Amino acid sequence: MNRKERSRFETWLLVLTGLYHTYDQWTRVLLPFAQWQLEPHPSITVMLGLNSLGSAFTFFGTFFIAEMIDVWGMRTSALLIAIFVAVYQIIICSTTDVWVYGALQSILMFNNMQMVVDAGILHLEGEHGDAKKRSRLVTKMLIPMSVGYAAGPYCALQMVSGPYISYDNIVRISMASTVVHDPQMIHQLVGLTDKQHKSSRNKFFMLGLTTMTVNAIVLPRIQALWSPQTLLIGSFSLLSLSYSYMAMFHDYSHLLVGMPIQVFAVSICIGEISSQLMGNVGKEYAGKATALIRMSQLGASMLTPLVAGAYLTESDTTPLCITNALISLAAIPLVHKYADFMKFDIALLTVHSVKME
């Protein structure tokens, strides 16, 4: 594959990643509207269980998708995944029976487009590729992912813009009538909803900007100074510190400090771990390698709704931050003990051998 073909293939991966996460987040925003019409009306516990059930089917679907990628290739796999997920999204919106809704979650076993993207990265920079380029390519994929996380909800809200505008007008009229009796409430009329939307956009903008900065500027420099093992230990240390910080401070201004640190550390962790895994797996096992990466992500997706619903409240995320800080701390000795093979960059061995000759 020449440079032009590699550039075209990389662009295809970036576009595919952006589109996938855009429609995935689009659907996630609109799913509560479909769940509200279910009969018999499920309790919050049942609703959380249904969400986890969908993640469970996606988790077990990684085995099937892995085999499909290895046998049929990435293009055919991507087309089949897109077709089945589209069918699911069309049918689920018209479902009113809670049992049918639960059964339709089985279609989500095909909701693994990210595995095709990971297989494409392995195809570009596989076991004989440059580990540094591979890790930078993995982190580069976080940029269209961030765009999808912002564009998906935005597009979804344009389907619900009518009810939103009506609700907004009602709230503003109600607040205006309140001001007549209590003038001190006037500050609530200064674009409360606009501020909320602006803060949300700022978060996504910061996420994308941090990811691009890490990928384009920071990562190439620190990869030249430290080994992947050292980078992982440092990243998990930063994650632990950032989660501890967010456990103590909850204001929006503190979020602007803690979030970039988290995104910085997560970008390096994902890039280095995925790169090392792909570098030690042949291209003929691309599906199985990407399944392993995808399964680790989906494991958290299955547990998050249950943990959040059972142990957390909307106004207190401190336990979640503390849990994440402890998990990050626990990862440090594991990387130190079991990641000795990451002390040296395999891609540099050929350079040293040439110099010796």
Side-chain angles (χ1 to χ4, degrees), residues 63-90:
F63 299 98
F64 173 73
I65 301 299
E67 191 66 23
M68 186 168 65
I69 292 175
D70 290 338
V71 175
W72 292 344
M74 291 179 289
R75 180 177 299 181
T76 303
S77 301
L79 288 174
L80 289 176
I81 289 172
I83 291 173
F84 276 97
V85 173
V87 170
Y88 166 81
Q89 293 172 342
I90 294 173

Side-chain angles (χ1 to χ4, degrees), residues 167-291:
Y167 173 78
D168 183 64
N169 289 335
I170 293 174
V171 171
R172 290 177 183 272
I173 293 173
S174 175
M175 293 168 62
S177 62
T178 304
V179 172
V180 175
H181 301 87
D182 187 3
Q184 294 181 357
M185 298 292 291
I186 187 65
H187 67 276
Q188 294 188 10
L189 293 178
V190 187
L192 180 62
T193 305
D194 294 336
K195 289 183 178 179
Q196 292 174 341
H197 282 285
K198 184 178 180 180
S199 65
S200 179
R201 290 194 299 268
N202 288 341
K203 294 176 186 177
F204 290 119
F205 175 76
M206 181 180 301
L207 177 63
L209 181 61
T210 305
T211 305
M212 287 189 292
T213 304
V214 171
N215 176 71
I217 301 175
V218 179
L219 190 57
R221 285 172 170 76
I222 61 178
Q223 282 181 327
L225 299 175
W226 296 300
S227 66
Q229 185 185 34
T230 304
L231 289 177
L232 282 176
I233 292 176
S235 299
F236 281 121
S237 301
L238 280 178
L239 279 177
S240 178
L241 291 175
S242 64
Y243 281 123
S244 300
Y245 177 83
M246 296 306 299
M248 295 184 291
F249 304 101
H250 306 282
D251 294 339
Y252 180 72
S253 58
H254 294 114
L255 181 65
L256 297 180
V257 176
M259 178 177 285
I261 299 176
Q262 291 179 5
V263 174
F264 173 83
V266 167
S267 298
I268 295 177
C269 284
I270 293 177
E272 294 298 330
I273 292 176
S274 301
S275 173
Q276 292 297 317
L277 177 61
M278 293 177 181
N280 290 275
V281 177
K283 292 183 180 180
E284 63 273 17
Y285 302 109
K288 297 178 179 60
T290 57

Side-chain angles (χ1 to χ4, degrees), residues 89-132:
Q89 293 172 342
I90 294 173
I91 297 177
I92 203 69
C93 295
S94 58
T95 303
T96 57
D97 187 89
V98 66
W99 301 107
V100 176
Y101 181 91
L104 289 174
Q105 300 306 302
S106 60
I107 304 179
L108 289 179
M109 66 180 297
F110 291 94
N111 190 27
N112 281 295
M113 186 68 78
Q114 188 61 44
M115 291 179 60
V116 179
V117 175
D118 292 335
I121 297 174
L122 180 57
H123 179 74
L124 279 179
E125 298 289 346
E127 55 181 333
H128 301 299
D130 190 333
K132 294 181 179 180

Side-chain angles (χ1 to χ4, degrees), residues 23-35:
Y23 74 69
D24 184 62
Q25 293 302 315
W26 188 330
T27 306
R28 289 179 185 272
V29 171
L30 294 180
L31 269 182
F33 293 93
Q35 293 171 345

